Amino acid sequence: MGLDDRHGRTAVDLRVSLTERCNLRCTYCMPAAGLPVTPDESIMSADEIVRLVELAVRSLGVRKVRFTGGEPLLRRDLVDVVARCSGLTEISLTTNAIGLATRAEALRAAGLERVNVSLDTVDPEAFALVTRRPFLSRVIEGIRAAQDAGLGVKVNAVLLRGVNDALAVDLLRWCLERDIELRFIEQMPLDPDHVWKREEMITASEIRALLGTAFVLETARGPRDGAPAERYVVRAHSGEILGSIGIIASITESFCGDCTRTRLTADGHVRTCLFSDDETDLLTALRAGATDGELARLWRDAMLKKPRDHGSDDVDILPTLRGMSAIGG
């Protein structure tokens, strides 16, 4: 009685958004002026998050939980939430790392295992252009603190044509020097301004070509097991193994057929697919006194409506009504 859908997939990986708020304004995610956010009273409390995570793990077969946002470090009770959930299953965090320097040790002590840091470039000017904020040094400080605290660290990067694509090799070299696995992600139509154009995004094929000017990429062996990233061993042209990277080709090399994810938005809605606007409200039911059995039934019923591919059983990928900051990564 897990989270099965109509297409033979079972969700075992839960993404939980803790907030819609963010302290960056990345051009592919949010307008410069920001976005209206859901009122605080409509956002899941710590107790509500813990109850739904516990339900997912103990009754619905979830094996991994990643907290996302917005920017989850903006939750003052983040350490408490992590501590209360870490005894249930593997806990990770997606973050921009601003503020991580002062919280990394506490999060590790609470049971957090790893962080995925969003960092599109290590060039200060390009960073400010992408994020509209001059906070690169704070991100790097947060990454360093996470490593010092014993957290596993990965970096997620989106390449934008004419902005940071020429800096892809520099970013990979920076990560390799610090023993950090870098994952490039194709830009997705999750911007609330709906300016994304398929023909303008940098594809996985182009990413491999960019990196191939300085490195040799060798497809890693072993199954992906539902992981979104296709992994590659990175070699110098001399043959020396330097590390590994992943490429998440959500648009051009779809992995929807092996998807194992389910999502909870910060306002407590089950979202079965990143690209689908179909949502099921668990929070209202929870606050109305629904039992765990009733909540589990709602969640399972929601997953039965999970679309086949890219948010729809019938049509090509379409922009979503909610932007990435509201959905959760």
Side-chain angles (χ1 to χ4, degrees):
M1 296 295 290
L3 295 173
D4 302 326
D5 66 28
R6 297 170 292 123
H7 305 285
R9 301 166 297 194
T10 300
V12 295
D13 182 351
L14 171 61
R15 309 289 172 90
V16 183
S17 178
L18 301 183
T19 179
E20 297 175 3
R21 301 178 186 277
C22 189
N23 41 16
L24 296 181
R25 295 292 181 268
C26 297
T27 57
Y28 53 80
C29 183
M30 194 179 291
L35 289 167
V37 295
T38 302
D40 289 345
E41 59 269 21
S42 298
I43 298 296
M44 292 186 292
S45 69
D47 288 344
E48 290 162 343
I49 293 165
V50 173
R51 182 177 172 190
L52 291 175
V53 168
E54 186 172 9
L55 172 68
V57 173
R58 293 186 174 171
S59 301
L60 297 172
V62 164
R63 298 199 294 265
K64 295 187 294 184
V65 174
R66 183 188 299 179
F67 292 126
T68 70
E71 175 44 54
L73 287 172
L74 294 179
R75 287 273 308 221
R76 294 182 180 180
D77 56 4
L78 175 61
V79 172
D80 176 58
V81 170
V82 169
R84 295 171 64 185
C85 293
S86 63
L88 300 170
T89 188
E90 173 187 332
I91 303 293
S92 60
L93 182 76
T94 295
T95 174
N96 61 30
I98 296 170
L100 185 57
T102 60
R103 304 181 78 180
E105 289 189 6
L107 286 166
R108 184 70 184 100
L112 187 68
E113 298 185 33
R114 60 184 174 83
V115 293
N116 287 26
V117 178
S118 300
L119 176 62
D120 301 315
T121 178
V122 288
D123 178 88
E125 291 186 6
F127 180 91
L129 190 61
V130 172
T131 67
R132 302 186 178 103
R133 297 292 186 272
F135 295 157
L136 176 60
S137 61
R138 294 169 64 179
V139 175
I140 293 175
E141 184 182 8
I143 291 173
R144 186 181 304 116
Q147 289 185 303
D148 290 345
L151 289 166
V153 178
K154 293 182 180 179
V155 162
N156 295 339
V158 175
L159 294 181
L160 304 175
R161 197 174 302 279
V163 178
N164 64 336
D165 51 334
L167 302 170
V169 167
D170 293 339
L171 179 60
L172 176 53
R173 186 173 288 115
W174 186 90
C175 288
L176 291 171
E177 290 171 353
R178 290 158 179 79
D179 196 27
I180 294 171
E181 182 170 313
L182 172 61
R183 302 196 303 179
F184 288 104
I185 304 173
E186 286 183 338
Q187 185 186 1
M188 295 176 280
L190 298 171
D191 59 303
D193 290 333
H194 301 319
V195 297
W196 177 88
K197 294 181 180 178
R198 186 177 186 129
E199 61 272 16
E200 292 182 2
M201 74 170 193
I202 296 177
T203 66
S205 178
E206 290 178 279
I207 293 169
R208 289 188 289 264
L210 283 168
L211 302 179
T213 62
F215 304 100
V216 176
L217 303 187
E218 178 182 299
T219 303
R221 297 179 180 178
R224 287 172 66 166
D225 293 327
E230 180 76 28
R231 297 184 69 249
Y232 299 86
V233 175
V234 182
R235 294 181 182 269
H237 287 290
S238 64
E240 177 189 1
I241 295 178
L242 303 175
S244 62
I245 67 162
I247 297 177
I248 300 177
S250 302
I251 308 301
T252 64
E253 299 170 13
S254 169
F255 44 86
C256 296
D258 296 317
C259 180
T260 60
R261 281 164 295 289
T262 184
R263 287 178 166 80
L264 278 176
T265 61
D267 56 354
H269 289 64
V270 173
R271 194 173 178 102
T272 62
C273 173
L274 194 58
F275 299 108
S276 173
D277 286 314
D278 184 59
E279 297 181 351
T280 298
D281 184 357
L282 292 189
L283 185 57
T284 296
L286 186 158
R287 290 179 176 179
T291 65
D292 281 358
E294 290 167 337
L295 292 171
R297 219 165 15 250
L298 282 172
W299 206 329
R300 285 194 296 266
D301 288 347
M303 293 306 294
L304 287 174
K305 296 184 287 184
K306 184 181 176 81
R308 173 187 55 79
D309 186 67
H310 281 160
S312 173
D313 290 338
D314 304 311
V315 299
D316 197 8
I317 187 169
L318 296 172
T320 57
L321 297 175
R322 290 221 225 192
M324 190 66 163
S325 61
I327 296 169

